[in-house]
């Protein structure tokens, strides 16, 4: 199968597509059919070396430009991404299986938002002047140098931009390794950035599995590592980066709580639960997969949820009316089916879904379990698929303690009409991102990241600048200098 947007080679290094077929082949599979749509090759050590040396050369050129000049390139790239939104969305759909209905409004568009936002900020990045009597100190906000970005498979375009945009705005160069499951989209990001005027080599894309990621992370020339992935991978990458005392951003997994009180607007709460469990077929890190529903509204919630799930349009992701697509891979589908089997075996009550669809591709029905208890595996482990666990509760203090009783802390949500309770709960949540009467918004203007095992650092917003730059303090003495001898 061919489609118009397919990149022309496996890697993008020093401003151009590069192929080396001696690297291990990685098949790219369209999740909606199971067909192989492309084959890329893992980067060889020689290609990794090329990527790092070209990034080093480019970084010196890029950092020497003014912030205004750097910002102009990023903003031009943002405009190009928006102009090419259709072709980029088609590619995102082929890479991930997510419906075009989603990709056309959530992927290249949010990548473009990041490029525009950090492009606009590039010229405003300054140090400060600190007067000390007649002497003074000034600070310089300097780039870290060479940054490695490592992506997960659920949002390949967005992740490539969320890491690349702030890194480049600060004057760094980036080497990005996409997930081996979705290798195509980041190549387009690199192509567009260079077409927009980025110096050759300032944003390179190399393909590969964990070993290629590990080779990048451990290279002594790399100053910073930003990973989006699971907690177990995060532990390994964080430890490897620590050996070299490198800066890190860790965007990891979650098992986030969503609390629905008896006074909530039921339709809105169900919309939140749907967005927080079934968007992208449930493959969203911040999903609110532990849905605590007050016992007084439990039955009404479950009845109405089941009715609304009935209207999901499941099928060909390229059809505009499709609102629910396949899992990203056969492997991920099997992981999720295993969790569904565990939920049944543990005695959770299957309200709807629970099966693979009888068609090509890796489709699982939107699945809801009720009567889930805190100790069940499906309530404790990240499933990363369309499986909602509904748990009952009676009391605010009790539910907040249960919501926080997890090693994860990525996100958390609450639906209630009680204003003070909403803010009390948000203050009590142990999570990096909280939602009141909404779920899973992620605008570039707001910090995004995890508490506890869900991560370190923040992406997006002004906060990201601190994670891609460092301050140098310069002391200036105006008079004579005294010394003890
Ligand atoms: P994963 O941890 O399996 O892989 C993530 C990336 O790390 C891949 O590119 C992989 O090749 C690479 N990798 C694996 N081992 C490595 C090593 N030793 N050194 C360097 N790189 C290595 O995750 P996944 O299955 O691709 O994605 C799903 C996970 O990502 C879920 O846990 C999800 O919650 C998380 N996620 C988090 C966020 C967030 O922003 N917090 C966003 C999306 C996904």
């Amino acid at each position: 199968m061919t489609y118009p947007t397919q990149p022309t080679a496996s890697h993008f290094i020093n401003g151009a597509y590069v192929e080396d077929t001696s690297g291990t082949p990685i098949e790219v599979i369209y999740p909606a059919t199971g067909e192989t749509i492309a084959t890329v090759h893992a980067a060889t050590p020689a290609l990794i070396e090329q990527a790092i040396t070209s990034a080093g050369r480019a970084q010196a050129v890029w950092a020497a430009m003014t912030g205004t000049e750097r910002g102009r390139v990023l903003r031009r790239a943002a405009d190009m991404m928006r102009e090419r939104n259709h072709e980029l969305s088609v590619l995102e759909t082929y890479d991930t299986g997510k419906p075009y209905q989603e990709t056309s409004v959530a992927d290249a568009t949010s990548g473009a938002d990041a490029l525009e936002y950090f492009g606009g900020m590039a010229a405003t990045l300054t140090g400060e002047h600190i007067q000390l009597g007649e002497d003074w100190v000034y600070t310089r906000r300097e780039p870290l140098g060479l940054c490695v970005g490592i992506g997960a498979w659920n949002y390949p375009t967005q992740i490539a931009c969320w890491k690349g945009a702030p890194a480049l705005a600060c004057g760094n160069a980036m080497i990005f390794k996409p997930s081996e499951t979705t290798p195509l989209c980041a190549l387009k990001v690199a192509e567009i950035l260079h077409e927009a005027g980025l110096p050759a080599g300032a944003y390179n894309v190399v393909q590969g599995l964990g070993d290629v990621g590990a080779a990048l992370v451990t290279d002594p020339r790399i100053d910073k590592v930003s990973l989006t992935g699971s907690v177990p991978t995060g532990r390994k990458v964080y430890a490897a980066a620590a050996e070299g005392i490198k800066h890190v951003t860790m965007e990891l997994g979650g098992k986030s709580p969503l609390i629905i009180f008896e006074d909530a607007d039921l339709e809105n709460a169900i919309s939140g639960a749907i967005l927080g469990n079934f968007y992208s077929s449930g493959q969203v890190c911040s999903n609110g997969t532990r849905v605590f529903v007050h016992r007084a509204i439990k039955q009404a919630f479950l009845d109405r949820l089941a009715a609304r799930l009935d209207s999901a349009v499941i099928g060909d992701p390229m059809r505009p009316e499709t609102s629910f697509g396949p899992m990203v891979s056969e492997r991920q589908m099997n992981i999720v089916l295993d969790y569904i089997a565990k939920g049944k075996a543990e005695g959770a009550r299957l309200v709807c879904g629970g099966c693979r669809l009888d068609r090509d591709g890796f489709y699982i029905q939107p699945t809801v379990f009720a009567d889930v208890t805190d100790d069940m595996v499906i309530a404790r482990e990240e499933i990363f698929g369309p499986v909602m666990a509904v748990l009952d509760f009676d009391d605010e203090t009790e539910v907040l303690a249960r919501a926080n009783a997890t090693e994860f802390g990525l996100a958390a949500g609450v639906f209630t009409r009680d204003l003070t309770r909403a803010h009390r709960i948000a203050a009590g949540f142990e999570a990096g991102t909280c939602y009141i009467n909404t779920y899973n918004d992620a605008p570039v203007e707001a910090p995004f990241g995890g508490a506890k095992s869900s991560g370190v650092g923040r992406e997006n917003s002004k906060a990201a600048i601190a994670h891609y730059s460092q301050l140098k303090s310069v002391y200036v003495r105006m008079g004579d200098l005294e010394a003890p001898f």
Side-chain angles (χ1 to χ4, degrees), residues 33-50:
T33 60
E35 289 168 273
T36 299
I37 54 166
T39 302
V40 298
H41 295 269
T44 56
L47 277 188
I48 295 172
E49 181 59 30
Q50 267 183 40

Side-chain angles (χ1 to χ4, degrees), residues 51 99-100 108 184 188 198 234-236 257 347 421 443:
Y100 180 81
L184 303 180
K188 284 285 169 185
L198 197 69
R235 285 208 174 89
K236 281 189 229 158
R421 175 159 67 187

Side-chain angles (χ1 to χ4, degrees), residues 1 3 6-7 10 25-31 33-41 91-97 179-185 187 207 328 362:
M1 178 193 296
Y3 49 95
Q6 196 158 330
S10 297
I26 300 170
E27 286 195 354
V28 188
I29 292 173
Y30 183 37
T33 60
E35 289 168 273
T36 299
I37 54 166
T39 302
V40 298
H41 295 269
L91 185 66
E92 177 93 19
T93 290
Y94 275 95
D95 224 1
T96 62
S179 163
E180 56 274 28
T181 311
T182 53
L184 303 180
C185 297
L187 292 165
Q207 307 293 351
V328 75
F362 314 128

Side-chain angles (χ1 to χ4, degrees), residues 150-154 159 177-180 208-210 213-214 217 227-231 233 236-237 251-254 285 382 384 410 448 454 459:
I150 300 178
W153 42 255
N154 56 345
I159 293 170
K177 190 201 84 64
S179 163
E180 56 274 28
L209 280 69
V217 171
L227 168 77
T228 298
S230 61
V231 173
T233 303
K236 281 189 229 158
V237 173
E251 291 287 352
L252 308 177
C285 53
E382 183 183 48
F384 224 59
L410 191 55
F448 183 84
S454 289
E459 294 198 306

Side-chain angles (χ1 to χ4, degrees), residues 286-308:
S286 48
N287 270 357
T289 47
R290 289 183 295 141
V291 182
F292 293 92
V293 180
H294 193 277
R295 212 179 294 272
I297 56 162
K298 171 184 172 180
Q299 204 48 53
F301 174 86
L302 290 174
D303 292 346
R304 188 67 192 123
L305 175 66
R308 284 184 56 182

